[in-house]
Amino acid sequence: MKKFKVLGMMSGTSLDGLDIAYCHIWKENNTWDFEIRQTRAISYHDELFGLLKNAIHLSEKEHANLHRDYGVWLGEQAKVFIEEHDFDIDFIASHGHTSHHRPEEGITFQLGHGQLLANTAQQKVICDFRTFDVANGGQGAPLVPIGDSLLLPEYEFCLNLGGISNFSFEKDGSRIAYDIGLANMPLNYLTEKIDLKYDDDGKLARNGKLIPTLLKELNALEYYKLSYPKSTGYEWFTSEIIPLIESHEGTIADKLRTIIHHNCEQISNAINKEQPRKNSQVLVTGGGALNSFFIDTLQEKLGSLTKVHIPPKKFIEFKEALVFAFMGVLKDLDEINVLSSVTGARKDSSSGVVFEPTKNH
């Protein structure tokens, strides 16, 4: 089978910018393999950041303009990156940026006009990976578990520590994935109070003291009693978590330590519920993987039978861009790239829309 050369592009809800990963992806002896060859993280300039952050409130016309302009901007970033390194590529796989996501109403929208992206970069583009699944009654999310399943089969659990914590694993022949609960969202909320973007390496939390009453109240939250499939987000954090954090005395360091202990208890509960095999490995990605106090605490709560594995920093930071590149490959081959066992859709699908560039005359 040929080696696919793909540019994966990802923009997440944290709005820290656009991640680009040039990947080689191939199949050998019926097993998928990959290499992340070159990466770039591009921060959003203030105007674009403001528009993307506010996209849900834009009028229909303003939203359409942003969809167009952002598609051209993505194409420009891809073109510069490709030309700078003189890359030979098969296509661009773009996640875009999610502006609306209300799957219960059958609505999801990824900004970044595919045809304009293709025309600007002068490359074939595969994008819009969520719409088809939502039309089939699915959540259109999470999408990353197909990558966990086929690219990282040696790990029993793939854990992502972003704003929230989620993980995926195989069970009875199906891939299962769901949001466990909190990760960096409450930590960053607290550090912003002292003008820090984040607690570097968990140094503040490591020196804090546990607040037992706060820990107990966090662990008693209703969300943790729900069975999966389940997902959560910012709304839950603002309505239920912030009031708890604010109702307790204690320093920022004390609260950071308490929340990390809470996060790790809930994550280890979720993993242990699946009765992991002895010496099973938990692959950790997302920003939380770079916080050594978070990771040390997690390993302590999991005990000696389950090993936490931290991959190289480049993989931690560009895993999602890689997975969208891989989803593009599966779409190109007309193979399944969205799992109904994860999204709750009526069936698995090969999702994504293909745009060929119109030649510049």
Side-chain angles (χ1 to χ4, degrees):
M1 185 186 204
K2 78 166 199 170
K3 184 177 280 190
F4 285 88
K5 297 166 183 174
V6 187
L7 205 67
M9 301 177 84
M10 172 70 199
S11 174
T13 45
S14 59
L15 275 167
D16 48 10
L18 173 69
D19 292 335
I20 305 181
Y22 175 61
C23 308
H24 285 187
I25 299 170
W26 66 97
K27 200 176 194 178
E28 209 170 343
N29 303 328
N30 226 19
T31 304
W32 285 103
D33 211 344
F34 66 90
E35 191 184 352
I36 300 176
R37 298 293 296 261
Q38 188 69 258
T39 61
R40 177 168 293 169
I42 301 164
S43 297
Y44 291 128
H45 56 77
D46 290 348
E47 187 190 358
L48 185 53
F49 177 89
L51 285 166
L52 292 171
K53 189 175 185 185
N54 192 42
I56 196 166
H57 305 299
L58 295 175
S59 71
E60 206 171 318
K61 186 181 179 192
E62 290 167 330
H63 189 268
N65 288 345
L66 177 59
H67 182 46
R68 177 199 67 207
D69 294 347
Y70 185 57
V72 171
W73 184 83
L74 289 174
E76 288 167 350
Q77 306 314 310
K79 192 171 195 288
V80 166
F81 186 68
I82 292 163
E83 287 177 355
E84 209 171 280
H85 297 283
D86 198 22
F87 286 142
D88 171 29
I89 79 161
D90 293 307
F91 55 83
I92 295 168
S94 172
H95 168 265
H97 188 86
T98 307
S99 64
H100 294 72
H101 190 66
R102 300 196 298 281
E104 64 287 349
E105 296 172 38
I107 293 168
T108 188
F109 196 93
Q110 274 61 51
L111 292 161
H113 197 295
Q115 188 64 62
L116 291 172
L117 201 172
N119 292 354
T120 308
Q122 281 298 295
Q123 299 287 346
K124 173 177 162 181
V125 167
I126 303 177
C127 62
D128 196 9
F129 291 100
R130 299 184 193 275
T131 307
F132 191 71
D133 183 77
V134 170
N136 271 308
Q139 293 282 311
L143 298 181
V144 171
I146 188 74
D148 295 343
S149 178
L150 297 179
L151 297 178
L152 304 160
E154 64 272 34
Y155 298 100
E156 195 168 344
F157 300 96
C158 290
L159 172 68
N160 181 59
L161 301 176
I164 54 178
S165 53
N166 49 48
F167 75 147
S168 85
F169 54 95
E170 292 289 326
K171 186 173 187 172
D172 304 329
S174 289
R175 195 78 189 176
I176 304 293
Y178 66 91
D179 290 345
I180 298 168
L182 298 165
N184 298 321
M185 220 182 265
L187 303 177
N188 296 349
Y189 167 79
L190 285 165
T191 56
E192 275 168 19
K193 291 174 179 285
I194 49 172
D195 293 326
L196 290 176
K197 275 193 169 171
Y198 55 90
D199 179 11
D200 183 30
D201 209 27
K203 290 188 186 88
L204 289 171
R206 204 180 277 279
N207 292 312
K209 293 186 179 70
L210 214 58
I211 307 170
T213 49
L214 176 58
L215 181 63
K216 191 178 173 187
E217 286 173 31
L218 286 166
N219 282 333
L221 284 162
E222 197 58 37
Y223 179 78
Y224 299 118
K225 300 183 187 119
L226 302 174
S227 51
Y228 60 78
K230 60 179 181 176
S231 63
T232 188
Y234 190 69
E235 293 84 351
W236 176 63
F237 171 65
T238 52
S239 64
E240 303 214 19
I241 312 304
I242 290 176
L244 278 185
I245 293 172
E246 296 297 347
S247 69
H248 285 267
E249 297 293 316
T251 65
I252 296 289
D254 295 346
K255 290 181 179 183
L256 289 168
R257 185 184 187 95
T258 304
I259 285 163
I260 283 181
H261 271 265
H262 161 69
N263 289 351
C264 294
E265 280 180 28
Q266 292 305 328
I267 293 164
S268 61
N269 287 349
I271 288 171
N272 289 333
K273 203 180 278 180
E274 302 309 322
Q275 299 167 328
R277 295 189 305 271
K278 190 178 176 185
N279 294 327
S280 62
Q281 297 230 11
V282 181
L283 177 73
V284 187
T285 54
L290 304 171
N291 179 329
S292 68
F293 180 64
F294 200 147
I295 298 307
D296 292 349
T297 307
L298 179 59
Q299 184 62 75
E300 186 190 307
K301 303 269 186 204
L302 282 169
S304 57
L305 295 181
T306 309
K307 297 278 178 268
V308 172
H309 178 75
I310 307 297
K313 191 175 180 196
K314 183 163 80 171
F315 184 80
I316 291 172
E317 294 178 334
F318 291 93
K319 179 192 173 194
E320 287 188 302
L322 161 72
V323 171
F324 282 98
F326 179 56
M327 288 182 71
V329 169
L330 294 174
K331 173 65 182 175
D332 199 58
L333 296 168
D334 202 27
E335 291 184 18
I336 285 164
N337 63 3
V338 178
L339 302 170
S340 59
S341 63
V342 168
T343 68
R346 286 184 283 278
K347 59 183 182 192
D348 292 342
S349 63
S350 183
S351 287
V353 182
V354 181
F355 295 93
E356 297 286 352
T358 46
K359 293 293 173 209
N360 292 334
H361 296 298

